[in-house]
Amino acid sequence: MKIAVVAPSCSLHLEAATAVAAIVAARGDAEIAIHAQCFATAGHFAGPDDQRLAALREVMADPSVDAVWFARGGYGSNRIAEAAMTGLPDAARGKSYLGYSDAGFLLAGFDKAGLSVAHGPMVQDVLRAGGEAAITCALDWLVRRDAKALEPGLRPRSRALAFNLTVLSNLLGTALEPDFDGADLLIEEVAEHEYRLDRMMFHLTGSASVRRCRSIRMGRMSEIPCNDPVFGSNAQGIVRDWCARSDIVFGGDADVGHDASNRVVPFGLARD
Amino acid sequence: MKIAVVAPSCSLHLEAATAVAAIVAARGDAEIAIHAQCFATAGHFAGPDDQRLAALREVMADPSVDAVWFARGGYGSNRIAEAAMTGLPDAARGKSYLGYSDAGFLLAGFDKAGLSVAHGPMVQDVLRAGGEAAITCALDWLVRRDAKALEPGLRPRSRALAFNLTVLSNLLGTALEPDFDGADLLIEEVAEHEYRLDRMMFHLTGSASVRRCRSIRMGRMSEIPCNDPVFGSNAQGIVRDWCARSDIVFGGDADVGHDASNRVVPFGLARD
């Protein structure tokens, strides 16, 4: 089992790479190849677009790689996602792709292109409080498809999708938009004001394609900055309200979020 | 000439109302009716959704009202916009609607519904430095269609649209999305990080309907918070880059923005 790590968004911290490599070595059930591109920098990004794309395409095309694990989020994978899902090599189809947050742009496009993607912890998460649990969860799923790593509310043989709300809002209507038909759609968010959550839920639930989903389930919405004035509702009230307004079933809470407890949501269950 | 002021988003400040009423009285060429709803409060908003919608529908249906002037932005007009554009009374069709920022949700929906809308200064702008000039610009356009109030790059008998970028991004794909076909699309922004500008430009220019526009012109993007790390491009570089990537003509600068120099952009020129 060989796991390749690339950084399509922002640079990976060296201490995160070292810590995760040590965890993998101690487990002894996988090999991890952290691509040098993870440590490149170019302004906001882990190297220029062409360098990030080249590293991503390299590991996608490598038949010895079983899984591509995104190093971290931040911002920037949308800048290369459409190119990465175009002209896919055969070797890209046999592997898993794991990440969340900004990597959601890739999850969306790759899912649309028929690849096996999952929303779940990334390498940089090892630096969170309790972060080793997130890495263990990710590896348990990548290496041996451990069901305990999965988000507990996933329904058997049913399609689910999970996204950061901001990322999802920003990919609607683009070439990356996946098929929501009949899927349970899990959303999570971090560090967005309540008025912005409300505005994005308006956008999300106002989309005809999103309205074809089976339900929206709400992951954690953490580190919400203070709204001035007091908004008048809270995150769950906002999500419930827009589901009701748009006749989308509110499916309750989901165990995903920007934290060490973030569980794995494979998008492709319907195809399994 | 009777101008009605309502607040579909956040509450109007009393001192703004007083100052603008004094300007209108001194001009002597119009009557202004500032609806009591402008001063209502309910959490983030100028009253609950039903109160804001009722005030808006009241002035839209009033045949004695020649123009509806939105009091200010903030957030919230999207929550009532689709309802306001449904079942329009005949009297709604004979008047002008003026605002920008969050009011862009209404401009979009009302334009789609065939009403005469324009992007331009609002009542609360009188409180900006040099704000009286913004109010004069708005009134010169509302009262006597003064061409000097217009954004100087508008092409005769050609359709233009103007929006706050965040607002536009959040209405794409919803029931409020207007027709971009052949239009010059002017965008402006305030207080968004460069990585967010980049992400929204990805979203905007990734939309098949936006790609039918004739050009994108760039208004002011002000109060941009510091990007950490340095982003590697600036607002104009970002806008130009995404136009180039998506084969949209970059039409240069536009004289619109969150400031006292914000000029008027009527959407309906193509129909004039």
mmCIF file of all heavy atoms in Angstrom, chain A residues 43-44 49 75 78-79 166 169-170 172-174 192 196 198-199 202-203 206 227 229-231 245, chain B residues 43-44 49 75 78-79 166 169-170 172-174 192 196 198-199 202-203 206 227 230-231 245:
data_model
loop_
_atom_site.group_PDB
_atom_site.id
_atom_site.type_symbol
_atom_site.label_atom_id
_atom_site.label_comp_id
_atom_site.label_asym_id
_atom_site.label_seq_id
_atom_site.Cartn_x
_atom_site.Cartn_y
_atom_site.Cartn_z
ATOM 1 N N GLY A 43 4.022 32.691 -3.322
ATOM 2 C CA GLY A 43 2.947 33.511 -2.753
ATOM 3 C C GLY A 43 2.101 32.662 -1.826
ATOM 4 O O GLY A 43 2.615 31.967 -0.939
ATOM 5 N N HIS A 44 0.794 32.667 -2.072
ATOM 6 C CA HIS A 44 -0.158 31.966 -1.205
ATOM 7 C C HIS A 44 -0.050 30.442 -1.307
ATOM 8 O O HIS A 44 -0.530 29.722 -0.428
ATOM 9 C CB HIS A 44 -1.565 32.406 -1.629
ATOM 10 C CG HIS A 44 -2.652 32.051 -0.689
ATOM 11 N ND1 HIS A 44 -3.136 32.929 0.266
ATOM 12 C CD2 HIS A 44 -3.365 30.907 -0.530
ATOM 13 C CE1 HIS A 44 -4.096 32.338 0.955
ATOM 14 N NE2 HIS A 44 -4.264 31.122 0.488
ATOM 15 N N ASP A 49 0.977 27.298 -10.102
ATOM 16 C CA ASP A 49 -0.054 26.372 -10.591
ATOM 17 C C ASP A 49 0.556 25.205 -11.367
ATOM 18 O O ASP A 49 0.156 24.045 -11.158
ATOM 19 C CB ASP A 49 -1.032 27.102 -11.522
ATOM 20 C CG ASP A 49 -1.943 28.083 -10.796
ATOM 21 O OD1 ASP A 49 -1.912 28.139 -9.551
ATOM 22 O OD2 ASP A 49 -2.691 28.798 -11.492
ATOM 23 N N TYR A 75 -5.998 27.459 0.301
ATOM 24 C CA TYR A 75 -6.698 27.899 -0.900
ATOM 25 C C TYR A 75 -5.852 27.607 -2.123
ATOM 26 O O TYR A 75 -4.637 27.825 -2.099
ATOM 27 C CB TYR A 75 -7.023 29.404 -0.875
ATOM 28 C CG TYR A 75 -7.523 29.875 -2.212
ATOM 29 C CD1 TYR A 75 -8.758 29.437 -2.682
ATOM 30 C CD2 TYR A 75 -6.738 30.649 -3.056
ATOM 31 C CE1 TYR A 75 -9.207 29.776 -3.950
ATOM 32 C CE2 TYR A 75 -7.182 31.004 -4.330
ATOM 33 C CZ TYR A 75 -8.409 30.563 -4.768
ATOM 34 O OH TYR A 75 -8.852 30.887 -6.028
ATOM 35 N N ASN A 78 -8.636 24.832 -6.669
ATOM 36 C CA ASN A 78 -9.560 25.162 -7.766
ATOM 37 C C ASN A 78 -8.827 25.654 -9.002
ATOM 38 O O ASN A 78 -9.331 25.530 -10.113
ATOM 39 C CB ASN A 78 -10.569 26.223 -7.316
ATOM 40 C CG ASN A 78 -9.882 27.510 -6.867
ATOM 41 O OD1 ASN A 78 -8.846 27.462 -6.214
ATOM 42 N ND2 ASN A 78 -10.440 28.651 -7.196
ATOM 43 N N ARG A 79 -7.632 26.210 -8.806
ATOM 44 C CA ARG A 79 -6.880 26.783 -9.927
ATOM 45 C C ARG A 79 -6.319 25.699 -10.847
ATOM 46 O O ARG A 79 -5.910 25.997 -11.973
ATOM 47 C CB ARG A 79 -5.754 27.675 -9.398
ATOM 48 C CG ARG A 79 -6.274 28.887 -8.612
ATOM 49 C CD ARG A 79 -5.130 29.685 -7.991
ATOM 50 N NE ARG A 79 -4.185 30.125 -8.974
ATOM 51 C CZ ARG A 79 -4.228 31.292 -9.617
ATOM 52 N NH1 ARG A 79 -5.196 32.152 -9.360
ATOM 53 N NH2 ARG A 79 -3.314 31.598 -10.515
ATOM 54 N N THR A 166 -18.178 26.988 2.064
ATOM 55 C CA THR A 166 -17.632 28.043 1.204
ATOM 56 C C THR A 166 -17.109 27.457 -0.101
ATOM 57 O O THR A 166 -17.348 28.011 -1.184
ATOM 58 C CB THR A 166 -16.496 28.793 1.919
ATOM 59 O OG1 THR A 166 -17.029 29.436 3.084
ATOM 60 C CG2 THR A 166 -15.872 29.844 1.028
ATOM 61 N N SER A 169 -20.055 26.390 -2.268
ATOM 62 C CA SER A 169 -20.729 27.564 -2.832
ATOM 63 C C SER A 169 -19.956 28.098 -4.034
ATOM 64 O O SER A 169 -20.539 28.518 -5.035
ATOM 65 C CB SER A 169 -20.851 28.636 -1.749
ATOM 66 O OG SER A 169 -21.337 29.846 -2.267
ATOM 67 N N ASN A 170 -18.623 28.051 -3.944
ATOM 68 C CA ASN A 170 -17.785 28.606 -4.996
ATOM 69 C C ASN A 170 -17.552 27.671 -6.181
ATOM 70 O O ASN A 170 -16.911 28.079 -7.158
ATOM 71 C CB ASN A 170 -16.439 29.066 -4.415
ATOM 72 C CG ASN A 170 -16.523 30.448 -3.804
ATOM 73 O OD1 ASN A 170 -16.530 31.447 -4.509
ATOM 74 N ND2 ASN A 170 -16.625 30.520 -2.480
ATOM 75 N N LEU A 172 -20.307 25.745 -7.375
ATOM 76 C CA LEU A 172 -21.607 25.543 -8.023
ATOM 77 C C LEU A 172 -21.635 26.243 -9.379
ATOM 78 O O LEU A 172 -21.276 27.406 -9.495
ATOM 79 C CB LEU A 172 -22.742 26.089 -7.156
ATOM 80 C CG LEU A 172 -23.028 25.344 -5.861
ATOM 81 C CD1 LEU A 172 -24.164 26.040 -5.107
ATOM 82 C CD2 LEU A 172 -23.372 23.888 -6.110
ATOM 83 N N GLY A 173 -22.054 25.526 -10.384
ATOM 84 C CA GLY A 173 -22.178 26.110 -11.715
ATOM 85 C C GLY A 173 -20.892 26.084 -12.525
ATOM 86 O O GLY A 173 -20.893 26.451 -13.695
ATOM 87 N N THR A 174 -19.789 25.655 -11.914
ATOM 88 C CA THR A 174 -18.523 25.552 -12.650
ATOM 89 C C THR A 174 -18.372 24.130 -13.201
ATOM 90 O O THR A 174 -19.191 23.243 -12.930
ATOM 91 C CB THR A 174 -17.314 25.845 -11.746
ATOM 92 O OG1 THR A 174 -17.105 24.734 -10.854
ATOM 93 C CG2 THR A 174 -17.527 27.114 -10.912
ATOM 94 N N GLU A 192 -16.544 31.494 9.575
ATOM 95 C CA GLU A 192 -17.387 32.373 8.755
ATOM 96 C C GLU A 192 -18.501 32.954 9.640
ATOM 97 O O GLU A 192 -19.101 32.246 10.433
ATOM 98 C CB GLU A 192 -18.008 31.601 7.578
ATOM 99 C CG GLU A 192 -16.995 31.036 6.580
ATOM 100 C CD GLU A 192 -16.313 32.100 5.721
ATOM 101 O OE1 GLU A 192 -16.758 33.274 5.728
ATOM 102 O OE2 GLU A 192 -15.320 31.756 5.039
ATOM 103 N N ARG A 196 -22.729 35.404 6.723
ATOM 104 C CA ARG A 196 -22.140 34.734 5.557
ATOM 105 C C ARG A 196 -22.664 33.298 5.434
ATOM 106 O O ARG A 196 -22.896 32.811 4.323
ATOM 107 C CB ARG A 196 -20.615 34.723 5.655
ATOM 108 C CG ARG A 196 -19.978 36.090 5.421
ATOM 109 C CD ARG A 196 -18.448 35.998 5.492
ATOM 110 N NE ARG A 196 -17.807 37.277 5.330
ATOM 111 C CZ ARG A 196 -17.162 37.683 4.220
ATOM 112 N NH1 ARG A 196 -17.057 36.880 3.184
ATOM 113 N NH2 ARG A 196 -16.616 38.867 4.156
ATOM 114 N N ASP A 198 -25.582 32.373 6.322
ATOM 115 C CA ASP A 198 -26.944 32.544 5.811
ATOM 116 C C ASP A 198 -26.920 32.803 4.299
ATOM 117 O O ASP A 198 -27.697 32.211 3.541
ATOM 118 C CB ASP A 198 -27.609 33.713 6.545
ATOM 119 C CG ASP A 198 -29.122 33.701 6.433
ATOM 120 O OD1 ASP A 198 -29.752 32.839 7.078
ATOM 121 O OD2 ASP A 198 -29.676 34.534 5.694
ATOM 122 N N ARG A 199 -26.011 33.659 3.866
ATOM 123 C CA ARG A 199 -25.908 34.004 2.445
ATOM 124 C C ARG A 199 -25.492 32.790 1.618
ATOM 125 O O ARG A 199 -26.021 32.552 0.527
ATOM 126 C CB ARG A 199 -24.901 35.143 2.291
ATOM 127 C CG ARG A 199 -24.889 35.813 0.946
ATOM 128 C CD ARG A 199 -24.144 37.161 1.003
ATOM 129 N NE ARG A 199 -22.771 37.019 1.471
ATOM 130 C CZ ARG A 199 -21.984 38.046 1.827
ATOM 131 N NH1 ARG A 199 -22.434 39.287 1.786
ATOM 132 N NH2 ARG A 199 -20.759 37.841 2.230
ATOM 133 N N PHE A 202 -28.396 30.363 1.372
ATOM 134 C CA PHE A 202 -29.298 30.865 0.320
ATOM 135 C C PHE A 202 -28.799 30.410 -1.048
ATOM 136 O O PHE A 202 -29.566 29.901 -1.878
ATOM 137 C CB PHE A 202 -29.365 32.399 0.385
ATOM 138 C CG PHE A 202 -29.795 33.052 -0.898
ATOM 139 C CD1 PHE A 202 -31.131 33.109 -1.258
ATOM 140 C CD2 PHE A 202 -28.848 33.593 -1.763
ATOM 141 C CE1 PHE A 202 -31.513 33.702 -2.459
ATOM 142 C CE2 PHE A 202 -29.229 34.185 -2.966
ATOM 143 C CZ PHE A 202 -30.566 34.234 -3.315
ATOM 144 N N HIS A 203 -27.509 30.605 -1.278
ATOM 145 C CA HIS A 203 -26.930 30.249 -2.580
ATOM 146 C C HIS A 203 -27.014 28.746 -2.830
ATOM 147 O O HIS A 203 -27.460 28.286 -3.884
ATOM 148 C CB HIS A 203 -25.468 30.725 -2.629
ATOM 149 C CG HIS A 203 -24.801 30.498 -3.943
ATOM 150 N ND1 HIS A 203 -23.540 29.965 -4.046
ATOM 151 C CD2 HIS A 203 -25.210 30.730 -5.209
ATOM 152 C CE1 HIS A 203 -23.215 29.887 -5.334
ATOM 153 N NE2 HIS A 203 -24.191 30.344 -6.052
ATOM 154 N N GLY A 206 -30.557 27.505 -3.213
ATOM 155 C CA GLY A 206 -31.213 28.110 -4.370
ATOM 156 C C GLY A 206 -30.801 27.474 -5.686
ATOM 157 O O GLY A 206 -31.326 27.830 -6.736
ATOM 158 N N ASN A 227 -21.037 38.134 15.355
ATOM 159 C CA ASN A 227 -21.823 38.932 14.413
ATOM 160 C C ASN A 227 -22.244 40.234 15.093
ATOM 161 O O ASN A 227 -22.721 40.214 16.219
ATOM 162 C CB ASN A 227 -23.077 38.143 13.993
ATOM 163 C CG ASN A 227 -23.619 38.550 12.628
ATOM 164 O OD1 ASN A 227 -23.141 38.092 11.610
ATOM 165 N ND2 ASN A 227 -24.603 39.439 12.605
ATOM 166 N N PRO A 229 -24.715 43.455 14.373
ATOM 167 C CA PRO A 229 -25.323 43.094 15.652
ATOM 168 C C PRO A 229 -25.533 41.590 15.779
ATOM 169 O O PRO A 229 -25.262 40.862 14.826
ATOM 170 C CB PRO A 229 -26.672 43.815 15.576
ATOM 171 C CG PRO A 229 -27.006 43.809 14.118
ATOM 172 C CD PRO A 229 -25.690 43.996 13.415
ATOM 173 N N VAL A 230 -26.029 41.152 16.944
ATOM 174 C CA VAL A 230 -26.390 39.741 17.131
ATOM 175 C C VAL A 230 -27.285 39.326 15.966
ATOM 176 O O VAL A 230 -28.227 40.035 15.622
ATOM 177 C CB VAL A 230 -27.125 39.565 18.483
ATOM 178 C CG1 VAL A 230 -27.725 38.178 18.585
ATOM 179 C CG2 VAL A 230 -26.166 39.831 19.634
ATOM 180 N N PHE A 231 -26.954 38.190 15.323
ATOM 181 C CA PHE A 231 -27.601 37.860 14.062
ATOM 182 C C PHE A 231 -29.100 37.587 14.209
ATOM 183 O O PHE A 231 -29.896 37.992 13.367
ATOM 184 C CB PHE A 231 -26.914 36.655 13.420
ATOM 185 C CG PHE A 231 -27.440 36.365 12.045
ATOM 186 C CD1 PHE A 231 -27.134 37.205 10.979
ATOM 187 C CD2 PHE A 231 -28.251 35.267 11.798
ATOM 188 C CE1 PHE A 231 -27.632 36.954 9.708
ATOM 189 C CE2 PHE A 231 -28.747 35.017 10.536
ATOM 190 C CZ PHE A 231 -28.442 35.860 9.485
ATOM 191 N N ARG A 245 -37.048 26.275 3.512
ATOM 192 C CA ARG A 245 -37.473 27.188 2.448
ATOM 193 C C ARG A 245 -37.373 26.540 1.067
ATOM 194 O O ARG A 245 -38.104 26.917 0.145
ATOM 195 C CB ARG A 245 -36.568 28.422 2.427
ATOM 196 C CG ARG A 245 -36.853 29.463 3.493
ATOM 197 C CD ARG A 245 -35.710 30.478 3.487
ATOM 198 N NE ARG A 245 -35.913 31.576 4.413
ATOM 199 C CZ ARG A 245 -36.087 32.852 4.046
ATOM 200 N NH1 ARG A 245 -36.106 33.165 2.762
ATOM 201 N NH2 ARG A 245 -36.242 33.798 4.936
ATOM 202 N N GLY B 43 -32.559 41.517 14.974
ATOM 203 C CA GLY B 43 -31.243 40.908 14.802
ATOM 204 C C GLY B 43 -30.431 41.712 13.794
ATOM 205 O O GLY B 43 -30.338 42.935 13.890
ATOM 206 N N HIS B 44 -29.924 41.010 12.808
ATOM 207 C CA HIS B 44 -29.064 41.638 11.804
ATOM 208 C C HIS B 44 -29.834 42.602 10.887
ATOM 209 O O HIS B 44 -29.227 43.436 10.218
ATOM 210 C CB HIS B 44 -28.465 40.499 10.948
ATOM 211 C CG HIS B 44 -27.322 40.899 10.080
ATOM 212 N ND1 HIS B 44 -26.011 40.751 10.454
ATOM 213 C CD2 HIS B 44 -27.296 41.452 8.837
ATOM 214 C CE1 HIS B 44 -25.221 41.196 9.475
ATOM 215 N NE2 HIS B 44 -25.981 41.619 8.486
ATOM 216 N N ASP B 49 -38.173 39.368 8.049
ATOM 217 C CA ASP B 49 -38.385 39.230 6.606
ATOM 218 C C ASP B 49 -39.763 39.743 6.178
ATOM 219 O O ASP B 49 -39.877 40.455 5.176
ATOM 220 C CB ASP B 49 -38.267 37.756 6.184
ATOM 221 C CG ASP B 49 -36.835 37.228 6.260
ATOM 222 O OD1 ASP B 49 -35.912 38.026 6.519
ATOM 223 O OD2 ASP B 49 -36.659 36.010 6.066
ATOM 224 N N TYR B 75 -26.711 43.131 4.806
ATOM 225 C CA TYR B 75 -27.046 41.783 4.355
ATOM 226 C C TYR B 75 -28.523 41.530 4.569
ATOM 227 O O TYR B 75 -29.057 41.897 5.613
ATOM 228 C CB TYR B 75 -26.251 40.702 5.098
ATOM 229 C CG TYR B 75 -26.780 39.323 4.783
ATOM 230 C CD1 TYR B 75 -26.634 38.806 3.501
ATOM 231 C CD2 TYR B 75 -27.526 38.602 5.712
ATOM 232 C CE1 TYR B 75 -27.198 37.589 3.154
ATOM 233 C CE2 TYR B 75 -28.079 37.376 5.387
ATOM 234 C CZ TYR B 75 -27.915 36.875 4.110
ATOM 235 O OH TYR B 75 -28.478 35.675 3.759
ATOM 236 N N ASN B 78 -31.555 39.264 -0.091
ATOM 237 C CA ASN B 78 -31.753 37.971 -0.758
ATOM 238 C C ASN B 78 -32.861 37.154 -0.105
ATOM 239 O O ASN B 78 -33.467 36.307 -0.747
ATOM 240 C CB ASN B 78 -30.448 37.160 -0.739
ATOM 241 C CG ASN B 78 -29.950 36.895 0.668
ATOM 242 O OD1 ASN B 78 -30.052 37.777 1.535
ATOM 243 N ND2 ASN B 78 -29.420 35.725 0.926
ATOM 244 N N ARG B 79 -33.112 37.396 1.170
ATOM 245 C CA ARG B 79 -34.113 36.614 1.907
ATOM 246 C C ARG B 79 -35.540 36.949 1.468
ATOM 247 O O ARG B 79 -36.463 36.193 1.776
ATOM 248 C CB ARG B 79 -33.947 36.834 3.412
ATOM 249 C CG ARG B 79 -32.575 36.365 3.934
ATOM 250 C CD ARG B 79 -32.397 36.686 5.423
ATOM 251 N NE ARG B 79 -33.462 36.166 6.231
ATOM 252 C CZ ARG B 79 -33.460 34.979 6.838
ATOM 253 N NH1 ARG B 79 -32.405 34.196 6.743
ATOM 254 N NH2 ARG B 79 -34.482 34.589 7.551
ATOM 255 N N THR B 166 -19.136 39.624 -4.264
ATOM 256 C CA THR B 166 -19.637 38.609 -3.327
ATOM 257 C C THR B 166 -21.123 38.358 -3.540
ATOM 258 O O THR B 166 -21.575 37.205 -3.556
ATOM 259 C CB THR B 166 -19.395 39.050 -1.877
ATOM 260 O OG1 THR B 166 -17.987 39.177 -1.651
ATOM 261 C CG2 THR B 166 -19.960 38.044 -0.890
ATOM 262 N N SER B 169 -21.608 36.452 -6.809
ATOM 263 C CA SER B 169 -21.203 35.053 -6.645
ATOM 264 C C SER B 169 -22.288 34.249 -5.935
ATOM 265 O O SER B 169 -22.552 33.096 -6.268
ATOM 266 C CB SER B 169 -19.884 35.005 -5.865
ATOM 267 O OG SER B 169 -19.528 33.689 -5.522
ATOM 268 N N ASN B 170 -22.942 34.888 -4.964
ATOM 269 C CA ASN B 170 -23.935 34.184 -4.164
ATOM 270 C C ASN B 170 -25.319 34.114 -4.800
ATOM 271 O O ASN B 170 -26.213 33.467 -4.244
ATOM 272 C CB ASN B 170 -24.030 34.810 -2.775
ATOM 273 C CG ASN B 170 -22.970 34.277 -1.829
ATOM 274 O OD1 ASN B 170 -23.091 33.175 -1.301
ATOM 275 N ND2 ASN B 170 -21.894 35.030 -1.634
ATOM 276 N N LEU B 172 -25.546 33.458 -8.309
ATOM 277 C CA LEU B 172 -25.418 32.639 -9.517
ATOM 278 C C LEU B 172 -26.125 31.297 -9.324
ATOM 279 O O LEU B 172 -25.917 30.613 -8.330
ATOM 280 C CB LEU B 172 -23.949 32.394 -9.859
ATOM 281 C CG LEU B 172 -23.139 33.604 -10.323
ATOM 282 C CD1 LEU B 172 -21.692 33.195 -10.576
ATOM 283 C CD2 LEU B 172 -23.747 34.235 -11.569
ATOM 284 N N GLY B 173 -26.936 30.938 -10.290
ATOM 285 C CA GLY B 173 -27.631 29.656 -10.228
ATOM 286 C C GLY B 173 -28.912 29.680 -9.423
ATOM 287 O O GLY B 173 -29.639 28.689 -9.394
ATOM 288 N N THR B 174 -29.219 30.801 -8.770
ATOM 289 C CA THR B 174 -30.478 30.905 -8.027
ATOM 290 C C THR B 174 -31.553 31.521 -8.921
ATOM 291 O O THR B 174 -31.278 31.941 -10.052
ATOM 292 C CB THR B 174 -30.322 31.795 -6.774
ATOM 293 O OG1 THR B 174 -30.214 33.168 -7.187
ATOM 294 C CG2 THR B 174 -29.086 31.419 -5.971
ATOM 295 N N GLU B 192 -12.562 42.216 1.167
ATOM 296 C CA GLU B 192 -12.374 40.778 0.980
ATOM 297 C C GLU B 192 -10.894 40.510 0.686
ATOM 298 O O GLU B 192 -10.277 41.224 -0.096
ATOM 299 C CB GLU B 192 -13.234 40.259 -0.181
ATOM 300 C CG GLU B 192 -14.738 40.394 0.030
ATOM 301 C CD GLU B 192 -15.307 39.438 1.077
ATOM 302 O OE1 GLU B 192 -14.589 38.515 1.504
ATOM 303 O OE2 GLU B 192 -16.481 39.639 1.452
ATOM 304 N N ARG B 196 -9.815 35.327 -1.396
ATOM 305 C CA ARG B 196 -11.266 35.246 -1.589
ATOM 306 C C ARG B 196 -11.667 35.878 -2.932
ATOM 307 O O ARG B 196 -12.574 35.390 -3.611
ATOM 308 C CB ARG B 196 -12.007 35.940 -0.449
ATOM 309 C CG ARG B 196 -11.971 35.151 0.864
ATOM 310 C CD ARG B 196 -12.751 35.896 1.943
ATOM 311 N NE ARG B 196 -12.682 35.226 3.233
ATOM 312 C CZ ARG B 196 -13.696 34.527 3.772
ATOM 313 N NH1 ARG B 196 -14.837 34.427 3.143
ATOM 314 N NH2 ARG B 196 -13.546 33.934 4.942
ATOM 315 N N ASP B 198 -9.848 35.872 -5.549
ATOM 316 C CA ASP B 198 -9.441 34.875 -6.535
ATOM 317 C C ASP B 198 -10.471 33.743 -6.612
ATOM 318 O O ASP B 198 -10.864 33.311 -7.707
ATOM 319 C CB ASP B 198 -8.065 34.328 -6.146
ATOM 320 C CG ASP B 198 -7.354 33.645 -7.299
ATOM 321 O OD1 ASP B 198 -6.894 34.354 -8.216
ATOM 322 O OD2 ASP B 198 -7.277 32.408 -7.296
ATOM 323 N N ARG B 199 -10.920 33.281 -5.459
ATOM 324 C CA ARG B 199 -11.888 32.181 -5.413
ATOM 325 C C ARG B 199 -13.213 32.598 -6.028
ATOM 326 O O ARG B 199 -13.847 31.824 -6.767
ATOM 327 C CB ARG B 199 -12.077 31.748 -3.952
ATOM 328 C CG ARG B 199 -12.802 30.463 -3.745
ATOM 329 C CD ARG B 199 -12.610 29.941 -2.320
ATOM 330 N NE ARG B 199 -13.033 30.884 -1.307
ATOM 331 C CZ ARG B 199 -12.768 30.786 0.007
ATOM 332 N NH1 ARG B 199 -12.068 29.761 0.466
ATOM 333 N NH2 ARG B 199 -13.184 31.674 0.863
ATOM 334 N N PHE B 202 -12.847 32.824 -9.785
ATOM 335 C CA PHE B 202 -12.949 31.459 -10.320
ATOM 336 C C PHE B 202 -14.419 31.067 -10.488
ATOM 337 O O PHE B 202 -14.834 30.550 -11.532
ATOM 338 C CB PHE B 202 -12.242 30.473 -9.371
ATOM 339 C CG PHE B 202 -12.714 29.054 -9.492
ATOM 340 C CD1 PHE B 202 -12.246 28.239 -10.512
ATOM 341 C CD2 PHE B 202 -13.637 28.534 -8.599
ATOM 342 C CE1 PHE B 202 -12.693 26.929 -10.642
ATOM 343 C CE2 PHE B 202 -14.093 27.229 -8.714
ATOM 344 C CZ PHE B 202 -13.615 26.424 -9.737
ATOM 345 N N HIS B 203 -15.201 31.323 -9.445
ATOM 346 C CA HIS B 203 -16.613 30.946 -9.465
ATOM 347 C C HIS B 203 -17.376 31.726 -10.541
ATOM 348 O O HIS B 203 -18.115 31.152 -11.345
ATOM 349 C CB HIS B 203 -17.229 31.207 -8.085
ATOM 350 C CG HIS B 203 -18.659 30.787 -7.964
ATOM 351 N ND1 HIS B 203 -19.626 31.589 -7.402
ATOM 352 C CD2 HIS B 203 -19.287 29.652 -8.344
ATOM 353 C CE1 HIS B 203 -20.789 30.947 -7.438
ATOM 354 N NE2 HIS B 203 -20.612 29.776 -7.995
ATOM 355 N N GLY B 206 -16.295 30.835 -14.053
ATOM 356 C CA GLY B 206 -16.563 29.429 -14.341
ATOM 357 C C GLY B 206 -18.011 29.164 -14.691
ATOM 358 O O GLY B 206 -18.375 28.039 -15.032
ATOM 359 N N ASN B 227 -3.175 39.814 3.134
ATOM 360 C CA ASN B 227 -3.148 38.369 2.901
ATOM 361 C C ASN B 227 -1.897 37.786 3.555
ATOM 362 O O ASN B 227 -0.812 38.327 3.384
ATOM 363 C CB ASN B 227 -3.111 38.096 1.392
ATOM 364 C CG ASN B 227 -3.672 36.738 1.017
ATOM 365 O OD1 ASN B 227 -4.874 36.566 0.916
ATOM 366 N ND2 ASN B 227 -2.795 35.756 0.832
ATOM 367 N N VAL B 230 1.877 36.851 1.661
ATOM 368 C CA VAL B 230 1.634 37.723 0.508
ATOM 369 C C VAL B 230 1.069 36.871 -0.616
ATOM 370 O O VAL B 230 1.597 35.796 -0.924
ATOM 371 C CB VAL B 230 2.960 38.399 0.084
ATOM 372 C CG1 VAL B 230 2.787 39.119 -1.250
ATOM 373 C CG2 VAL B 230 3.419 39.385 1.151
ATOM 374 N N PHE B 231 -0.040 37.328 -1.223
ATOM 375 C CA PHE B 231 -0.776 36.457 -2.143
ATOM 376 C C PHE B 231 0.015 36.121 -3.403
ATOM 377 O O PHE B 231 -0.025 34.994 -3.889
ATOM 378 C CB PHE B 231 -2.109 37.104 -2.523
ATOM 379 C CG PHE B 231 -2.977 36.205 -3.344
ATOM 380 C CD1 PHE B 231 -3.574 35.085 -2.775
ATOM 381 C CD2 PHE B 231 -3.172 36.434 -4.694
ATOM 382 C CE1 PHE B 231 -4.361 34.233 -3.529
ATOM 383 C CE2 PHE B 231 -3.958 35.588 -5.456
ATOM 384 C CZ PHE B 231 -4.551 34.484 -4.877
ATOM 385 N N ARG B 245 -8.338 33.313 -18.480
ATOM 386 C CA ARG B 245 -8.550 31.868 -18.404
ATOM 387 C C ARG B 245 -9.887 31.449 -18.995
ATOM 388 O O ARG B 245 -10.034 30.309 -19.462
ATOM 389 C CB ARG B 245 -8.537 31.423 -16.931
ATOM 390 C CG ARG B 245 -7.153 31.334 -16.286
ATOM 391 C CD ARG B 245 -7.351 31.120 -14.781
ATOM 392 N NE ARG B 245 -6.107 30.938 -14.068
ATOM 393 C CZ ARG B 245 -5.748 29.799 -13.450
ATOM 394 N NH1 ARG B 245 -6.559 28.749 -13.470
ATOM 395 N NH2 ARG B 245 -4.613 29.711 -12.817
#
